[in-house]
Amino acid sequence: MSTELLTFVTVVIYKCSSMASTCGDCFTIDPKYQCGWCNDDFCTTDTFCQQGDFLRKGSVCPNPQISSFSPKSGPTEGGTLLTIQGKNLGTNIDEVQVNIDKVKCNITELRAPDRYIPRITDISPTLGPFDGGTAITLIGEHLDAGYNKSVLIGQKYVCTDIKSINATAITCKTSPMTQLTRQQMDVSMMIDSAVLNPTGVVFTYVENPNVTWVSRNAVIRSGGLEVNVSGEYLHHVQSPEIVIWSNGHGFYGPCKFTQFPATNITCISPLVEDLKPHFDGFQELEFGFKMDSVKQVERLSSLGKMRVYPDPKLEAFKNGEKIHQQSHDILFIDGQYLAALKNYDVRVFIGKEQCVVRSVVTSVITCTPPPSQPAATAGGGFPEVVVHIGENLTFPLGYLHYEKQEELSQEAIIGIAAGGVAVFLLVTCIVCTVCLIKFRRNDDMMKKMRKEMDQLESRVANECKEAFAELQTDMSELTSDLSGGSSIPFWDYRTYCMRVLFPPECNDHPVIRELELDYRHREDTERGLKLFFNLIRNKTFLLIFIRTLEANKDFSMKERVNVASLISVSLQTQMEYATEILKTLLAELIEKTIENPKVHPKILLRRNESVAEKMLTNWFTFLLYKFLKECAGEPLFMLYGAIKQQVSKGPVDAVTSEARYSLSEDKLIRQHINYKPMVLYVMDLDVDRCSQPTHPVKVLDCDTISQVKEKILDALYKSAPFSSRPPKEELDLVLFDHPPEWIVGDKTQLPLKMFPNKDTRRLVLSDEDHTTKSEGDCKRLNTLSHYKVPDGAYVALHPKQTSIYNMSIMSEKSKFSDNSFYNRSPSLNRSLSPPNVHIDVEGCKFYHLVRHQDVESNNKEGDRGSKMVSEIYLPRLLVTKGTLQTFVDDLFERIFSTAHRGIALPLAIKYMFDFLDDQALHHSMGDEVVHIWKSNSLPLRFWVNVIKNPNFAFDIYKSNIVDACLTVIGQTFMDSCSTLEHKLTKDSPSGKLLYAKDIPKYKQWVARYYQDIKIMPAISDQDMTAMLAEESRTHQNEFNTNAALLELYKYVNKHYEDIMNALEDDEFARRNRLTSKLEQVAAAMDGTTVC
């Protein structure tokens, strides 16, 4: 007998009861399966129906059920088509009879139940962030079948919130992923007991989106304004929204994707319902974005806060109408609270046509109307002017009447026609002559405009060149004083460190004071601190101590920074051990960051969220002081001096700190200020000196008295430490009515005992006195022009005291001529000490150059001709930038150089960069990531802090306007170290636009700097140990170590139980009996007082 091997067999396995649940459904199954209805209970085959009746296909099902019918009513005459739905209603018309109230209903159609199988054919979208929250749509057939539904992604991640749209689509939201793999995962679905595993329907978890830039930080309360957003992986989310947080509530605005580039989206600012439509000033609120379930972008503190201004107000036309002359090509619209708006936020319509917006400033909108009167939107009347602000505000202002051109009367036309050919020829000649003249005038006007534009461009360039030349001249004296940095007023090492480590209390922190202890417990406390110092020198204990504190949810950011600084001070004499601790903490932080899928490795070391990050800042602070003093400090001080000199050349508002010369758009005076440079001769009031030298000081006639005193002190003390100068508040500025007659020839020397003299009168000038001018509820600070002080006047600074001069002055006051400048000045009958000036900006009690609150004066029709659009003053930023460019380049080049004037690169920089390179190699990180780590560790954590705050390194005074300029330079420094390429538009911050052409050059310097350091020979352990030991020895007595230990012990006492538990759980801690040692410290410290 021959045998044949079966290689392929198809077996169909089925179960009737799973294929049908009702009798009617059972009879619709394919006859080949031989299914029937058993015992009025379930669908099966004859073999498995052991007892009871078995109904085969073609039989009539028992127990018919009607589930619904429609319509519910109809006319009594009949003819209504009735549809009945239900179960077990038969398989053909002969089996069914329908009666309505005993009246037979003729059956026209009987439709047997259909059989269908649900299936999935597609999914949208196919990817989403690994934090989840993506709303995916499954597309297929018969997806409305069944009752219980569940969806899985990769057989592991549940898709929640399932909603059925229709028979062909359902939606659900993805759950978060534990670790990003970026692999395609199959999507499966279960409907009741049926499992659908479609082929090719996959979903991929991808990187979370990250926002790096927004186009504006000012919106209005009603929202509707466009906010352009740039970042990474923004297209990984479906429907992003911008959110502004107020009083714990989020207010959301929609965002849409742009076609190009893929890294940008455009959002519409939301209505902030928590705020009233109108309020004073603005509210600074947190903002972020709702991008699926990504938490890290919900509140973007790194991008600052959003300023929410009150809703704008626009003034309607008087009596609802306004006349527009066609000769005027600009329409002015008055308003209030327009500071947050940009040109593209406003749309102005005149009837059916648009008025092109030219500018939007604080109180006025200007636009160019159509040349001829547009048609009205409805009817045949005059066109209505309607202003749309954003998408949510609309202001109908009234109707605009175009001034009609004068037309010739009918009589005049008849007279001209009757004039004959001679008159016609005469008129023709006149018209030709007029056209020729007009053409020539237009041509002359265009030439004149081109000439004026050329002159304007030339003036800007010349102003920049002249300002630079003048600044170079003024800086030459400062430069000549800097011989090897000896004249730079550096802080000593301890003060410099305190300003970085403990900024709020740098002058009175316990670590720089004597330790004050209760004499009854002094001995025990000192013994306990000694034991505690030995304990923190144990690496295991110190690491467990830091980890325990950071694991506590109540351990705030401020406490992390404080603990890091206290540890740094405590181990300042143990720099080698402190470096080992720092490296261990950084290695743990790097590993934790890389393993966390919700945190991108690029943000490592960017914030102060861990003790390690602040300790890194302190470490560089300790080890780079010498380099700062010998190398980088000089160009930084020169830049500070150059900014101060350049700013002082133009008006500076004493109240708002706005200036004519600024790098910051926020601190730029956007008005024309008339001013005149002056020279004052400053004399010494000491009557016992053999000679009286005078010092010429450059000032402006618009300077306040305090500003004049500050400039005089700057000239007298030059680069001397600011702390050695007498405060300007303790000095009076004394003005003399005329120079003494005996001064001839050289004015820098005055003869003996010039004062007192009966022919010389003096006046004490002050910011405020009884002559201060009042304007409504505001007062203007006194200036030199207020006192009519002439160029070349003689003044002196004198300590404030009761007047001893004015008594004799008043008796001979009548001797002065009415034409003298002194008589035009305020009265002399007052004390030498002026009253204190209280500057109240919000209440506008005092102002200097600019009145920001005075909206009414800006809205006056007659003032518009003399006011220019504020944006025209922005080129002044370029003038200031061009003037300071050399000093900025010198500083950046000095910082990003591995060797300068024989000064080698500090070992600490090479050592830390090599450590980061090793960590990146260990974790397989790319060059871009390690570049960002290096930028975050040194430039961001140390240099930016010093550039923005030179008063940390130098004994100087940093004014608000100087601070604003340094902030722009610091931001440029940060952008130079970044690897991101921001696409700049007209809406980009002015600071980024200002240095847009320079940043690529600086980025090349940074890349070369990092590369040069990388190829340098590695530092040996012996060299690094020797350097750290020398650092510890040199500064061993700078701080009170016991005071730092006592402050640190407070945290041990506060978290004592948690620390003890952590020590007991650690094997090395148990082996070294660290719990017992900590108990000894606690026993010794009981009963002590804090310092």
Side-chain angles (χ1 to χ4, degrees), residues 619-620 623-624 898 904-918 934 937-938 1009-1020 1023-1024 1027:
W619 189 76
F620 275 127
L623 299 181
L624 295 187
T898 54
L905 180 79
L907 297 183
I909 297 177
K910 170 64 177 173
Y911 187 79
M912 186 52 62
F913 278 17
D914 284 353
F915 170 76
L916 294 176
D917 282 330
D918 293 340
K934 293 175 181 179
S937 65
L938 179 61
Y1009 176 66
Y1010 290 170
Q1011 183 61 29
D1012 289 347
I1013 294 175
K1014 186 174 183 179
I1015 63 178
M1016 291 173 62
I1019 301 174
S1020 66
D1023 291 342
M1024 193 65 188
M1027 186 273 289

Side-chain angles (χ1 to χ4, degrees), residues 378-396:
F382 292 106
E384 185 180 17
V385 178
V386 179
V387 180
H388 301 275
I389 297 180
E391 297 186 357
N392 298 340
L393 294 180
T394 301
F395 298 89

Side-chain angles (χ1 to χ4, degrees), residues 352-399:
K352 295 182 178 181
E353 298 186 32
Q354 190 165 358
C355 186
V356 180
V357 176
R358 297 178 58 174
S359 68
V360 180
V361 292
T362 306
S363 57
V364 65
I365 299 171
T366 60
C367 68
T368 303
S372 59
Q373 179 172 304
T377 52
F382 292 106
E384 185 180 17
V385 178
V386 179
V387 180
H388 301 275
I389 297 180
E391 297 186 357
N392 298 340
L393 294 180
T394 301
F395 298 89
L397 303 182
Y399 295 95

